[in-house]
Amino acid sequence: MRTSLASLISFSVVIFTAVVELPKLVVPNLPDLTIKTRYTSFDQFSEVRTLYLKGSRQRTETVTEKPARADAMNSAAIWQCDEKRRFFLNQRDKIYNSSVIEARSELLKKTPPVSLTQMSGAEVIITIDSVDTGERRQFAHYTARRVKVKTRFEPSPGASTAASVEETAGWYIDLPGFGCEQQPSTGFALLLGSGGNRRDRLQIKWLGKAPRGYPIEETSVKTAATDTTISKIELLEIPEAQLSTSLFELPSGYRQALQIGNSGADLTKPDTISNRADYYWSRTTLWLRSLIA
C-alpha cells in the first residue's frame, strides 16, 4: 500500500467489535539488516523500497522509479522504538515531521471504533483464506514461508464496495518487533475506508489464518468487474552488513514541516510564518465560502 507523505488523506478507521487483541508496543533488538525490494503495479508504477534494521531502530526509504519525475520527493521514515518517536522525511527539500509512537489501544481512545450496529448501509461479505503452503526458502539467515491468501468481496445490492477477488502469493520472513509492535497471536480485522453517512455493513468470514510477515517476494492479482490489476514485490538485495547509527537519527539541516489541522503536517513546506499565514488564510477563505454557498 502506498502512502503519500506530502498530503494528508482523511479516512475513518473501522475496527470490528470482534477484536480480541491489539498489537503491543515493544522495543526490539534486531540484528543489522538491509532489505531492498522493488514494488511494481500494472507496469505503470514502480518504486524501490529499502528497509534498514539495527537493534531498536528502523528506517525505510522510498524512491519512485516510474513515472520518472525530476521533482520526486523521495521519502524516508525513522522509527526509534527505544524513544517512542518516529520521523517522516522529505529528503528532496530537507523537511521533517515527528510524532510520538503510541499503542493502538491509546489511539482507539482518541478515535472510538465503529461497531457493526453503527453501519446502516448494505451488507458486504468479506471472505479471507490464508494458507501456509509448507514451502521454505533461506534468505541470508532468515527462513521465509510461502503463504497464499485469497480475499473475496461480495457486496449486496446498494453497497458502495465493489465486488472483487484478490489472490496474493509470496515469501515472508518474521521480523519480531517490526514497526515497534508485537503482533498478537490471535488475529484482528482493521479496515480503512472513506467516511460517510451510510457505511457498508462489513461481515468477515475467516477460513485459513496463516500469518504472513515482511514480504520478500510477492505477487498480487486483483480482479474486479471491469479490470484486473497485478502488483509485484521482488527482492533486490538483503545484505547483513553493519549499519551506522547515524542512519537512524534525524539528519542535520532539516526544517520542521508546516503543521496543519488534525495533527497533520505538509511535508512539502517548512513551518514558517509566511506558510502558516497562507495556510490559515486558505482555511478561512474556504470557511467563508461554505457560509455563502
Side-chain angles (χ1 to χ4, degrees), residues 15-166:
I15 299 182
F16 292 100
T17 53
V19 169
V20 293
E21 188 179 356
L22 290 172
K24 298 177 181 178
L25 289 185
V26 296
V27 179
N29 185 22
L30 291 164
D32 289 25
L33 180 69
T34 301
I35 303 175
K36 180 178 287 189
T37 56
R38 174 178 286 112
Y39 171 87
T40 58
S41 178
F42 208 55
D43 294 330
Q44 297 177 351
F45 176 88
S46 70
E47 63 184 20
V48 173
R49 303 170 176 176
T50 307
L51 170 67
Y52 302 95
L53 301 172
K54 187 181 184 68
S56 62
R57 300 193 171 187
Q58 302 158 30
R59 178 187 177 109
T60 60
E61 294 182 353
T62 304
V63 177
T64 301
E65 293 183 311
K66 190 168 56 175
R69 292 180 55 184
D71 62 344
M73 186 174 65
N74 292 341
S75 61
I78 297 171
W79 281 265
Q80 297 178 343
C81 303
D82 53 333
E83 299 289 344
K84 294 186 177 180
R85 173 68 57 179
R86 61 188 159 206
F87 298 92
F88 299 99
L89 311 179
N90 170 350
Q91 299 188 99
R92 180 194 64 199
D93 303 317
K94 293 189 175 182
I95 297 173
Y96 81 94
N97 187 51
S98 65
S99 63
V100 175
I101 298 174
E102 296 183 90
R104 296 200 195 185
S105 57
E106 294 299 317
L107 292 175
L108 286 178
K109 293 178 182 178
K110 301 176 183 179
T111 307
V114 179
S115 67
L116 294 176
T117 58
Q118 293 174 274
M119 301 178 189
S120 57
E123 182 178 80
V124 177
I125 297 176
I126 306 172
T127 305
I128 304 174
D129 189 11
S130 180
V131 178
D132 187 331
T133 67
E135 300 169 88
R136 299 292 185 265
R137 285 174 62 187
Q138 286 298 126
F139 292 90
H141 286 90
Y142 291 84
T143 301
R145 302 182 305 275
R146 182 164 173 80
V147 179
K148 294 183 177 181
V149 182
K150 185 174 184 178
T151 305
R152 184 183 299 273
F153 287 79
E154 299 176 283
S156 61
S160 59
T161 302
S164 65
V165 176
E166 184 169 11

Side-chain angles (χ1 to χ4, degrees), residues 177-273:
F178 177 71
C180 307
E181 290 185 333
Q182 176 183 335
Q183 296 301 323
S185 57
T186 51
F188 69 96
L190 172 64
L191 298 180
L192 304 181
S194 60
N197 295 327
R198 291 178 62 83
R199 296 184 176 91
D200 292 341
R201 290 181 288 113
L202 307 176
Q203 302 283 355
I204 284 190
K205 293 183 178 180
W206 291 94
L207 300 180
K209 299 182 181 180
R212 283 187 275 182
Y214 190 84
I216 297 296
E217 294 180 359
E218 184 181 79
T219 300
S220 181
V221 180
K222 184 175 181 179
T223 304
T226 58
D227 61 4
T228 297
T229 303
I230 301 175
S231 60
K232 294 183 178 181
I233 295 175
E234 60 176 315
L235 179 65
L236 299 180
E237 59 181 23
I238 184 170
E240 296 179 285
Q242 185 173 0
L243 299 171
S244 171
T245 56
S246 63
L247 194 62
F248 306 91
E249 299 284 352
L250 177 66
S252 61
Y254 272 63
R255 296 176 293 173
Q256 186 173 8
L258 175 65
Q259 303 300 294
I260 59 179
N262 299 319
S263 301
D266 184 345
L267 277 166
T268 65
K269 300 176 181 178
D271 193 5
T272 63
I273 293 176

Side-chain angles (χ1 to χ4, degrees), residues 269-289:
K269 300 176 181 178
D271 193 5
T272 63
I273 293 176
S274 60
N275 284 337
R276 287 187 202 175
D278 289 342
Y279 169 71
Y280 287 116
W281 174 251
S282 63
R283 290 291 299 269
T284 302
T285 302
L286 289 174
W287 176 70
L288 290 174
R289 287 177 179 174

